[in-house]
């Protein structure tokens, strides 16, 4: 069974890039907002969530807090994605329960 990665990012170019980079080995589910991600998660459970921090309406930290309340999602690892290279942001990512932090832009093969 192919593993599923849910990518949550308001930038369609980043969603397309994630599909291009990861789509050869994983099935990619894309959501352009936290609300779209929660709609997807109502009846699906991915193997990993890649979550942008800076999004309108609901930022990644708010999404993460709500993810923690979803019993069927609690075991799914979350990796934050952000262009913010502030060490305090990285610390906050781990404090909220992320398993890792990846800086954007993505550079395949590095």
């Amino acid at each position: 069974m192919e593993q599923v990665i849910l990518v949550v990012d308001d930038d369609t170019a980043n969603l397309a890039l994630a599909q291009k980079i990861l789509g050869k080995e994983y099935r990619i589910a894309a959501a352009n907002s936290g609300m779209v991600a929660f709609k997807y998660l109502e009846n699906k459970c991915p193997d990993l969530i890649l979550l942008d921090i800076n999004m309108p309406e609901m930022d990644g930290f708010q999404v993460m807090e709500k993810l923690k309340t979803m019993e069927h999602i609690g075991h799914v690892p979350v990796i934050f994605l952000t262009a913010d290279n502030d060490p305090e942001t990285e610390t906050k990512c781990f404090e909220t329960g992320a398993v890792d932090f990846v800086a954007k832009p993505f550079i395949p093969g590095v």
Side-chain angles (χ1 to χ4, degrees):
M1 181 195 283
E2 195 172 34
Q3 292 184 316
V4 177
I5 299 174
L6 173 61
V7 182
V8 186
D9 196 316
D10 62 312
D11 186 325
T12 55
N14 287 337
L15 293 174
L17 184 57
Q19 174 66 44
K20 181 179 179 183
I21 294 170
L22 301 170
K24 293 175 184 153
E25 295 186 40
Y26 304 96
R27 191 163 59 83
I28 304 301
N32 64 359
S33 72
M35 296 311 290
V36 172
F38 289 121
K39 189 72 173 164
Y40 172 86
L41 294 168
E42 284 177 5
N43 55 20
K44 294 184 176 73
C45 183
D47 297 289
L48 173 69
I49 299 172
L50 298 179
L51 179 59
D52 185 24
I53 293 176
N54 298 313
M55 297 184 293
E57 297 172 18
M58 179 183 279
D59 70 23
F61 296 119
Q62 293 168 316
V63 171
M64 185 68 162
E65 286 303 313
K66 188 168 179 178
L67 287 172
K68 288 181 182 180
T69 68
M70 300 175 72
E71 193 171 304
H72 74 289
I73 301 298
H75 69 284
V76 176
V78 176
I79 297 175
F80 272 111
L81 308 172
T82 187
D84 183 350
N85 61 2
D86 183 350
E88 289 180 25
T89 300
E90 185 173 353
T91 299
K92 187 173 180 181
C93 290
F94 290 115
E95 288 175 349
T96 60
V99 297
D100 210 344
F101 170 96
V102 176
K104 293 191 290 186
F106 311 119
I107 303 171
V110 175

